[in-house]
Amino acid sequence: MKSEIARKLLMINPNTNTATTERLQKTLHSLVPSGVDLDFMTAGFGSNYIACESSHAVAAHACLQSWADYRLTQPGQLDGVLIGCFGDPGLFALREACGCPVTGLAEASFILAAQRGAFAIVTGGERWRPMLQRLAQSLGYGHLLRHIETVVPSGAALQSDPEMAMRCLAEACAKAAVPGVQTVILGGAGLAGYAHGLRSHCPVPLIDSAEAGLQVLLQDLAPAAPYAGDGFFAQWRDMAPAIMNMPVRP
């Protein structure tokens, strides 16, 4: 007999790459405890890989749309939302609209890393460096972020070539552990699961950003939603039906 679901969580992959969603599912499947139901959604529009400011901006819209679509078909209990991208597009908008705890792979990793002190990030794609610096600052962790080590291949390229990814990321993890760094974060939905094989190459603890996201939601470490219930605070025009049908609050 299936046990009663005590908590229902939703992970949204804000890019259109179903292989990324599958990687997240594979990595987190064994970590979901009994009594927790973790659903996954893949963005219905946007980019195949979030690699720049423009694709990040569109991904924020795609996150809101995915959540609204989910709520239209699953109107019952929802206890947490996880943005499956190490860049957390739409984080603040979702937190305002969802009425439940919301975090992203980056924020969740920052929360756990900050418990040890200063940290560094390893990720794919040079354009992510200023984006992650800005995100860490806006979330209140800028003073703890000591270093960002980006590798030349994008997260998508790393995901498609595991052998190359392990060689490249092992070197990056060693470089990232600069003096004063207590933890290194391996950031990226496409890199979910790689940390297990890389920890021996990293002289400090290595955090898998996907695992961190789930852990933060399960341990109730994600910041609480500022409002109760689902809805927006703006009138919409020419948006998709699921968003148009959401309540608008005064």
Side-chain angles (χ1 to χ4, degrees), residues 99-110:
C100 67
V102 179
T103 192
L105 301 193
E107 182 188 49
S109 298
F110 297 165

Side-chain angles (χ1 to χ4, degrees), residues 39-93:
D39 287 342
F40 292 81
M41 289 193 72
T42 305
F45 63 88
S47 60
N48 190 55
Y49 173 67
I50 302 166
C52 61
E53 297 281 6
S54 297
S55 54
H56 186 271
V58 172
H61 180 186
C63 266
L64 282 171
Q65 184 63 59
S66 296
W67 165 75
D69 288 339
Y70 183 85
R71 298 304 284 154
L72 185 66
T73 58
Q74 304 283 337
Q77 170 184 339
L78 184 60
D79 300 299
V81 177
L82 179 58
I83 301 169
C85 168
F86 195 77
D88 305 356
L91 174 66
F92 301 112

Side-chain angles (χ1 to χ4, degrees), residues 109-110 112-121 143-147 173 176-185 202-207:
S109 298
F110 297 165
L112 297 185
Q115 295 174 354
R116 294 177 177 268
F119 58 87
I121 295 170
H143 65 293
L144 293 175
L145 176 55
R146 293 287 189 271
H147 182 74
C173 286
V178 299
V181 164
Q182 303 298 313
T183 312
V184 171
I185 298 167
C202 190
V204 296
L206 183 62
I207 291 176

Side-chain angles (χ1 to χ4, degrees), residues 17 20 23 49 122-126 128 149-170 172 186-192 194 198:
N17 189 342
T20 300
R23 184 166 194 89
Y49 173 67
V122 170
T123 195
E126 179 63 26
W128 273 109
E149 186 73 25
T150 60
V151 297
V152 174
S154 68
L158 293 168
Q159 181 177 324
S160 66
D161 190 342
E163 291 186 6
M164 178 272 288
M166 290 296 289
R167 293 193 303 270
C168 187
L169 293 171
L186 185 62
L191 304 184
Y194 278 109
L198 292 168

